[in-house]
Amino acid sequence: MAWSTTTWVMAALAPIIVFLAGHLFLGIARKITARIHRRRGPPVMQQFIDVFKLFGKRTSTTHSWVQDMGALFAVIGVIACSLFIPIGGDPVLSFQGDVIVLVYLLAIAPLGMALGTGSTGNPNSAIGVSRGLMLMLAYELPFAIVIVTIIVHFKTASLGEIVEAQKGFLDWAILSLPLSAIAADLSLQGMLGEKPFDQPVAPSEVASGPMVEFGGKYLGMLMIWHAMSVVVEAGLFVNLFLGGGVLFGGGTTLALIGNIFVWLALTLTVFIFSIFINSVFGRFKMGQALKFYWGFPTLIALIGLSIAVLSNLGVF
Amino acid sequence: MDDFRSTEIIFGPQHPGIHGNFAMRLELEGDMVRRARLVPGYLHRAFEKLMERRTWHQNIALVPRICVPDPDVNEAAYSMAIENIMGLEVPRRGNYIRSIVLELSRLAAHLMGLGGLGGAIGLYTLPMWTNGERDYVLDLFEALTGGRVYHMYTWPGGVRWDMPENWPRKALKVMDHIEAQLPSYYSLFFESKVTDARLKGLAPITTSWAVEHGVTGPNLRATGLEVDLRRDDPYAAYEELDFDVITLKQGDGMARALVRWYEVGQSIRIIRDAIEKMPGGPVIAKTPPPLAFMVPPGDHYAHVESSKGEYGYYVISKGGKYPYRVHVRGPSFTHGIDVLEKMLVNQELADVALITGGLDVCPPDIDR
Amino acid sequence: MSPGHRQVIMMTDFVKKTIRPFRALRFLARKPHTIISPHEQHNDIEGEPLPTERYRGIHINDWETCISCGLCARICPCDAIEMVDVEGEQKKRPEVSYGRCCFCGFCEDVCPRDSMHLTSNYVMIDKNSETFTFLPENDLKEFQKEYIVETSQLRYNDKDVKKAEKEPSAKKGGKGKKKK
Ligand code: SF4
Ligand code: SF4
């Protein structure tokens, strides 16, 4: 597969765009949360300041090289993910079945974190990690069903083609598959680790769980991972259901840049919606979260799937 | 730890889920707490001993520190005990102002307690709001007493100063403001499916169990028993003020939170009533000056209804300038050690902070 | 109650309890509780500036009327006041140590000549810890006043601050002006 110049440039730019956008989004989210709290909140750039500050710090405790690896794993995993996400309709890596690869890749970063925290020996982190993996088990079920629904609906397993198929506003999957979109958004809430599904990092229960033994540069790394995964995961939702931000056709560079901004705006909207839910609900217990995900979202995801299959068969 | 099935978690004092400076050692099996041991003592300042070396009035500056969120009950109970030994009669206006101060303090403490519940389930919007509203109450305290958190305002014989002229008007305005905010708290916290899932049926207790273990105050009222020292053994001006004793039957976490929620409304009602009925006259009885203040030999136990439960001071005087012995009965000692240790057994780790917050445990009062 | 009826009630309850908390979002459009200190004045509910008259802050002592009786040192529960000899004065003067003072105001209450007072100024910043033990005089010390000037010249790189500075009316905003 020969890469065009645009693809090369995008391959270099995609992680950077995701990095910058992620921290900006988190900064905006902090401001919005503060306004709902009736506070003024920190400046929007605070997230950048925090990360740079953390990287400027000396690390006082490390546990073993496994911990270093774990933090690196998380960041590298999410950088790899950012290459699979079509930003503004232009995927760097695109092939049949990349959706499925992406879903697997998304799990790599949390596994890396699990690896790193496992080596620290803090019981709070251990509980946090086991909660995180359990939560993954919970939200992956409806999400997997949604992915299958999308594949069945668009008859392709390539994210690039899925975005291609949603060119017009009326082709957006959120309109043709509303039930699956709701299920996917609920799964997204767990994926982003926002309330009511933030059990793995619950401060008042497990003292911030996995993060508890990570300080200084490690914490900076985890913050980068979190910021980037926010964009990747919310962006995945945009690509699957909101047409991937392809507004300008023509394939020129200018159109691509425009599309990237549209994509970022849509991603931000999806993320802010999740922040709204985050700031008005408390957190479920682990068992309740499991029960929730395997109940309502799975049910509507299944209904969405059957509708997609039936309409494919020409029943409606 | 003799087998590998259980983990031990040291929950506090460096833990975001703990309500102050005390620790719990939790033995977990999976997510279940099998045994909880409370480790107090991080905040022990030997108040009872310190008080024996200070004059009767100097202690007024010391006692509010025993319970930080609800400090005025200390001053009031201590002063009441002294007044009883001396046979002092507090002027009516002094009693009314005391009632107002006690209710404001209860209001502030309940707002903070409700916020703590929100924090324990991760709903950080609620503590931010309630603490914002609490700040107006602190503004009132500042205008009345000169202090925001520790007021040192109630004094043997009455209160230190009269109210400023515009203070009642301001107080009524703050009450209106807080009352207007209450519905939004309700819709955020109590009308939420997540709160239902977390609080309903959480660590329920029955009335007989509660009485057996010395549970008092809102936690006891949440089990359905109608007890309230303000009505059963009236002090200050409560005899002449209108209010209801709030009781709920369930005895679970939701009931404990709701009792506090309704008591905020009752406090507002009491304050309005007291301002309306406020009599004239002096605010403090004729007493000797502080440095020549002597209390005749005698002893008395004075108790008040605090936002956490029954708060009592047992004061013994052998005559002279210093108390011979002061004993403090704080509700958090009972709630925070014995009751909590029993209630945490067979609860999930996720609920530990919520149960502690639901009992409204105040660690400075445990350690004293 | 028929089973169907109960289901309907459960459904409406579920929907209500999912939607009601979102009412909190209306605070997005409201003015925040907090103020930008020290650029904005902290006001109480009626818009009057805080701290109030009664606030118990840093001491002042009128040396003209002070008779050096030492009562303030005797009542002080924290042992914060010491009567010290002052050069060029015949009488001893009370010296307050702010590491100990708990701002109870008993010294003010007990003073027979009404010379000791607690002002409502509470800001006191200095790098040298020894400045916090001093003899209160008729007026606040220089370094206590200095701070007030210095901080108002601080600038934060925040849009809100700039806006608050531009509009003098917004400067007083903060808590007092908030509507219900
Ligand atoms: S300040 Fe007042 S109490 Fe203290 S020594 Fe002077 S006159 Fe006496
Ligand atoms: S305010 Fe209280 S603690 Fe401070 S110097 Fe005066 S008497 Fe002592």
Side-chain angles (χ1 to χ4, degrees):
Chain A
M1 178 170 70
W3 277 16
S4 67
T5 332
T6 330
T7 319
W8 278 112
V9 173
M10 276 309 286
L13 275 186
I16 297 173
I17 293 175
V18 170
F19 175 87
L20 294 177
H23 289 90
L24 191 68
F25 287 6
L26 286 183
I28 295 172
R30 277 169 85 162
K31 201 85 185 166
I32 289 175
T33 320
R35 283 300 151 110
I36 297 173
H37 288 173
R38 307 172 72 178
R39 290 185 283 123
R40 285 191 193 248
V44 174
M45 286 296 147
Q46 188 64 40
Q47 204 70 24
F48 287 102
I49 301 170
D50 282 355
V51 167
F52 287 127
K53 177 200 75 186
L54 285 174
F55 274 95
K57 281 198 169 178
R58 212 157 28 84
T59 306
S60 49
T61 335
T62 59
H63 292 272
S64 65
W65 59 271
V66 183
Q67 196 190 0
D68 305 5
M69 283 290 116
L72 274 179
F73 236 69
V75 175
I76 291 171
V78 78
I79 289 178
C81 288
S82 68
L83 296 179
F84 279 88
I85 295 277
I87 299 177
D90 190 43
V92 177
L93 296 170
S94 177
F95 45 85
Q96 272 301 328
D98 60 356
V99 186
I100 293 159
V101 176
L102 183 64
V103 171
Y104 272 99
L105 263 183
L106 277 176
I108 288 226
L111 283 178
M113 198 153 109
L115 197 71
T117 48
S119 72
T120 61
N122 188 316
N124 280 321
S125 337
I127 296 174
V129 163
S130 77
R131 282 175 171 208
L133 297 182
M134 208 144 47
L135 189 66
M136 220 151 87
L137 214 67
Y139 67 69
E140 291 277 311
L141 180 68
F143 195 67
I145 299 173
V146 168
I147 295 277
V148 174
T149 314
I150 291 276
I151 293 174
V152 168
H153 181 74
F154 290 113
K155 302 195 188 66
T156 168
S158 153
L159 264 176
E161 285 171 26
I162 288 171
V163 170
E164 195 84 342
Q166 304 182 51
K167 265 270 163 59
F169 179 73
L170 288 176
D171 297 333
W172 282 13
I174 198 168
L175 297 178
S176 43
L177 302 168
L179 287 179
S180 305
I182 294 174
D185 192 63
L186 290 171
S187 307
L188 186 71
Q189 196 72 11
M191 229 186 265
L192 294 171
E194 303 289 359
K195 270 160 247 146
F197 306 108
D198 70 335
Q199 296 86 2
V201 292
S204 61
E205 293 162 19
V206 291
S208 299
M211 267 111 79
V212 77
E213 289 286 325
F214 285 69
K217 298 192 176 72
Y218 292 97
L219 191 59
M221 216 106 88
L222 290 192
M223 276 172 85
I224 290 180
W225 163 65
H226 178 60
M228 289 178 80
S229 65
V230 160
V231 180
V232 167
E233 283 153 5
L236 180 63
F237 183 84
V238 170
N239 283 328
L240 290 181
F241 287 101
L242 299 176
V246 186
L247 188 66
F248 308 106
T252 58
T253 317
L254 211 62
L256 178 62
I257 292 171
N259 285 339
I260 289 175
F261 278 105
V262 175
W263 183 81
L264 286 176
L266 285 174
T267 311
L268 182 61
T269 318
V270 171
F271 181 52
I272 284 178
F273 184 67
S274 140
I275 285 295
F276 283 168
I277 300 177
N278 180 34
S279 50
V280 298
F281 281 115
R283 107 172 45 87
F284 276 130
K285 284 193 281 194
M286 205 53 241
Q288 289 164 345
L290 226 66
K291 245 189 226 154
F292 175 83
Y293 269 129
W294 291 351
F296 179 64
T298 309
L299 190 73
I300 56 172
L302 279 176
I303 296 174
L305 177 63
S306 18
I307 291 174
V309 170
L310 288 180
S311 62
N312 251 12
L313 292 177
V315 177
F316 326 115
Chain B
M1 204 93 0
D2 34 32
D3 58 352
F4 291 104
R5 283 189 309 149
S6 50
T7 332
E8 188 178 42
I9 283 214
I10 301 175
F11 202 89
Q14 308 266 356
H15 194 292
I18 202 86
H19 280 237
N21 313 39
F22 75 120
M24 301 178 200
R25 283 165 170 265
L26 306 174
E27 279 172 28
L28 297 179
E29 259 173 46
D31 231 5
M32 286 297 192
V33 178
R34 289 291 177 233
R35 205 163 85 97
R37 270 184 303 138
L38 274 289
V39 192
Y42 293 94
L43 211 57
H44 180 57
R45 291 155 292 175
F47 277 115
E48 291 176 5
K49 194 72 194 164
L50 284 175
M51 282 160 85
E52 292 167 18
R53 286 283 168 274
R54 274 162 177 70
T55 62
W56 296 99
H57 281 89
Q58 285 179 342
N59 281 334
I60 293 287
L62 188 67
V63 289
R65 283 149 227 280
I66 293 179
C67 183
V68 185
D70 194 2
D72 289 285
V73 286
N74 294 286
E75 300 163 28
Y78 174 70
S79 306
M80 276 158 54
I82 295 175
E83 282 150 15
N84 200 288
I85 299 174
M86 293 178 73
L88 272 178
E89 186 77 35
V90 181
R92 266 189 85 211
R93 189 176 172 88
N95 264 336
Y96 267 78
I97 297 180
R98 262 190 198 182
S99 293
I100 293 177
V101 167
L102 286 171
E103 283 312 311
L104 279 177
S105 169
R106 181 191 319 280
L107 189 64
H110 276 338
L111 284 177
M112 207 162 155
L114 281 170
L117 281 181
I121 65 165
L123 181 62
Y124 299 117
T125 313
L126 189 67
M128 293 292 168
W129 288 2
T130 53
N131 278 334
E133 249 59 78
R134 176 173 174 265
D135 213 58
Y136 288 111
V137 180
L138 297 191
D139 288 351
L140 282 185
F141 272 130
E142 183 187 322
L144 178 64
T145 71
R148 285 180 79 82
V149 176
Y150 299 128
H151 314 123
M152 304 155 200
Y153 181 63
T154 312
W155 191 261
V159 291
R160 265 166 92 180
W161 309 292
D162 202 350
M163 299 189 283
E165 207 151 297
N166 59 359
W167 194 83
R169 195 185 67 228
K170 268 187 197 166
L172 289 178
K173 266 198 181 164
V174 173
M175 291 307 119
D176 291 346
H177 174 79
I178 294 179
E179 199 169 45
Q181 299 296 322
L182 290 180
S184 47
Y185 298 169
Y186 192 79
S187 68
L188 177 72
F189 189 65
F190 292 103
E191 288 188 312
S192 156
K193 216 55 208 165
V194 179
T195 315
D196 270 8
R198 290 303 298 268
L199 281 178
K200 277 212 175 131
L202 174 72
I205 51 174
T206 59
T207 309
S208 56
W209 191 91
V211 171
E212 210 172 283
H213 288 81
V215 177
T216 48
N219 299 328
L220 184 55
R221 288 198 282 280
T223 66
L225 193 61
E226 212 179 316
V227 283
D228 193 327
L229 288 174
R230 291 176 289 178
R231 196 203 51 194
D232 302 339
D233 183 10
Y235 52 93
Y238 283 114
E239 215 163 358
E240 300 164 26
L241 299 172
D242 273 347
F243 63 96
D244 296 332
V245 177
I246 308 286
T247 53
L248 288 175
K249 285 201 192 60
Q250 296 84 348
D252 59 355
M254 194 61 153
R256 287 193 283 270
L258 273 173
V259 164
R260 294 198 165 77
W261 161 259
Y262 287 123
E263 281 189 1
V264 170
Q266 289 303 320
S267 287
I268 293 176
R269 182 174 157 197
I270 294 174
I271 292 167
R272 283 196 181 131
D273 198 30
I275 288 178
E276 194 181 305
K277 291 183 184 160
M278 180 68 67
V283 295
I284 184 156
K286 270 253 162 289
T287 50
L291 281 168
F293 195 86
M294 306 265 199
V295 176
D299 66 304
H300 186 69
Y301 176 73
H303 55 181
V304 295
E305 180 78 27
S306 84
S307 61
K308 330 241 177 254
E310 177 180 338
Y311 220 111
Y313 270 69
Y314 182 58
V315 178
I316 306 176
S317 167
K318 296 230 156 158
K321 287 166 77 177
Y322 305 100
Y324 174 73
R325 173 88 170 89
V326 182
H327 173 73
V328 186
R329 188 262 179 227
S332 298
F333 186 80
T334 341
H335 294 165
I337 304 280
D338 184 38
V339 173
L340 196 56
E341 258 179 15
K342 296 208 165 77
M343 271 168 84
L344 287 181
V345 173
N346 290 340
Q347 298 291 340
E348 285 180 43
L349 174 64
D351 286 333
V352 170
L354 197 54
I355 294 172
T356 319
L359 285 174
D360 217 351
V361 174
C362 162
D365 174 24
I366 298 178
D367 288 341
R368 282 200 281 275
Chain C
M1 200 192 289
S2 67
H5 190 198
R6 187 174 305 142
Q7 240 102 55
V8 170
I9 287 182
M10 265 176 63
M11 278 299 285
T12 47
D13 183 66
F14 178 82
V15 172
K16 199 179 87 186
K17 291 200 162 174
T18 315
I19 292 177
R20 281 287 171 86
F22 281 97
R23 284 163 141 194
L25 297 185
R26 69 183 188 278
F27 286 99
L28 268 173
R30 309 255 174 113
K31 210 168 163 24
H33 266 316
T34 49
I35 54 164
I36 304 168
S37 179
H39 298 281
E40 284 182 1
Q41 173 69 43
H42 183 184
N43 293 340
D44 72 359
I45 189 114
E46 292 195 329
E48 284 172 30
L50 292 172
T52 49
E53 282 286 289
R54 280 196 184 172
Y55 190 83
R56 300 189 294 252
I58 298 167
H59 300 68
I60 49 171
N61 185 13
D62 190 352
W63 284 19
E64 298 276 290
T65 47
C66 174
I67 49 166
S68 304
C69 61
L71 283 183
C72 49
R74 274 177 62 203
I75 189 74
C76 180
C78 309
D79 242 350
I81 300 186
E82 200 185 336
M83 302 300 289
V84 295
D85 291 313
V86 184
E87 253 177 71
E89 290 267 334
Q90 282 165 358
K91 301 184 225 164
K92 288 187 170 189
R93 297 292 180 193
E95 185 192 59
V96 183
S97 156
Y98 284 91
R100 294 173 154 224
C101 176
C102 67
F103 300 99
C104 59
F106 290 173
C107 45
E108 178 179 355
D109 277 18
V110 83
C111 180
R113 300 301 298 268
D114 223 9
S115 74
M116 182 77 97
H117 280 293
L118 270 69
T119 60
S120 56
N121 182 19
Y122 57 91
V123 192
M124 177 158 56
I125 286 188
D126 199 79
K127 280 179 189 156
N128 182 3
S129 64
E130 271 165 29
T131 36
F132 298 120
T133 305
F134 62 87
L135 293 149
E137 287 173 65
N138 292 2
D139 202 356
L140 291 177
K141 303 267 170 189
E142 267 315 302
F143 76 94
Q144 294 160 357
K145 289 185 198 157
E146 239 170 51
Y147 172 76
I148 303 170
V149 181
E150 260 175 32
T151 44
S152 60
Q153 281 158 6
L154 279 178
R155 290 288 179 270
Y156 293 109
N157 197 9
D158 192 328
K159 251 207 330 248
D160 288 343
V161 179
K162 285 182 194 137
K163 218 169 64 200
E165 278 166 3
K166 255 184 233 147
E167 314 160 14
S169 60
K171 224 174 194 171
K172 281 214 167 163
K175 297 186 45 184
K177 274 178 73 180
K178 190 174 42 188
K179 288 170 205 94
K180 278 191 207 133

